[in-house]
Amino acid sequence: MGRKSYVEHTAVTVQDIDWSVRFFVQVFGMSVTRQKENHGHLSQVWLDGGIQLVASPDDPAVGRPHHLGIVVQDFSAVRRDMLRWEGVHPMEGKPEKWLQLPDGLVLEKGNRGRGSFGSTDSVSMNPGHYGCLSPSSPDK
């Protein structure tokens, strides 16, 4: 095949996104690189190191992978090749970069460099939301 790809980020569902962000920032020294709100509530946070936290407070599958973001060299060719595999299908209502494997694993493809997934149109670029944290106990 000759083309190379790599995982750009891993998204994980979390029950309490504020607690999770404080944990990764305070314990591992990670920084918030992007965040997104939905109806005035924090819904997604991207941390350096390739972790995306997705708020999912009412999901029984919380703590499980949400999707893998994979950088590919040739977006169209990889999409075409993926769709040739039995059971791989586009996700209804999602852009063409989203495909689902037969076991439910969701892949987000991009052909740009690290950290460039997603649109900044709907993302708050205010890392200050967590930039001034004071130490607090893990249980809030």
Side-chain angles (χ1 to χ4, degrees):
M1 268 186 124
R3 62 176 95 108
K4 293 188 177 192
S5 303
Y6 65 89
V7 174
E8 192 267 351
H9 68 275
T10 301
V12 179
T13 57
V14 295
Q15 191 166 33
D16 183 337
I17 197 163
D18 292 310
W19 183 95
S20 297
V21 170
R22 282 195 313 272
F23 176 81
F24 282 97
V25 168
Q26 293 177 12
V27 173
F28 296 108
M30 293 181 176
S31 299
V32 173
T33 59
R34 289 190 336 193
Q35 59 191 43
K36 181 178 180 180
E37 292 188 4
N38 188 11
H39 303 294
H41 298 285
L42 195 58
S43 61
Q44 297 182 55
V45 173
W46 290 260
L47 301 166
D48 57 0
I51 296 175
Q52 178 184 355
L53 303 172
V54 179
S56 190
D58 301 320
D59 185 353
V62 73
R64 295 186 182 155
H66 185 271
H67 71 269
L68 296 177
I70 301 177
V71 172
V72 298
Q73 288 180 327
D74 186 336
F75 181 90
S76 297
V78 169
R79 185 174 196 279
R80 182 183 63 245
D81 289 349
M82 288 178 69
L83 289 171
R84 289 182 181 148
W85 286 76
E86 183 178 343
V88 175
H89 61 276
M91 295 185 66
E92 189 174 325
K94 293 275 196 178
E96 67 176 1
K97 68 180 183 173
W98 295 93
L99 293 171
Q100 190 168 30
L101 305 185
D103 64 2
L105 179 61
V106 175
L107 302 179
E108 176 189 14
K109 299 175 316 312
N111 59 358
R112 296 167 286 180
R114 184 168 190 75
S116 62
F117 272 69
S119 168
T120 57
D121 296 339
S122 62
V123 174
S124 167
M125 299 299 280
N126 179 12
H129 184 88
Y130 291 100
C132 301
L133 286 177
S134 59
S136 62
S137 66
D139 58 355
K140 291 189 184 182

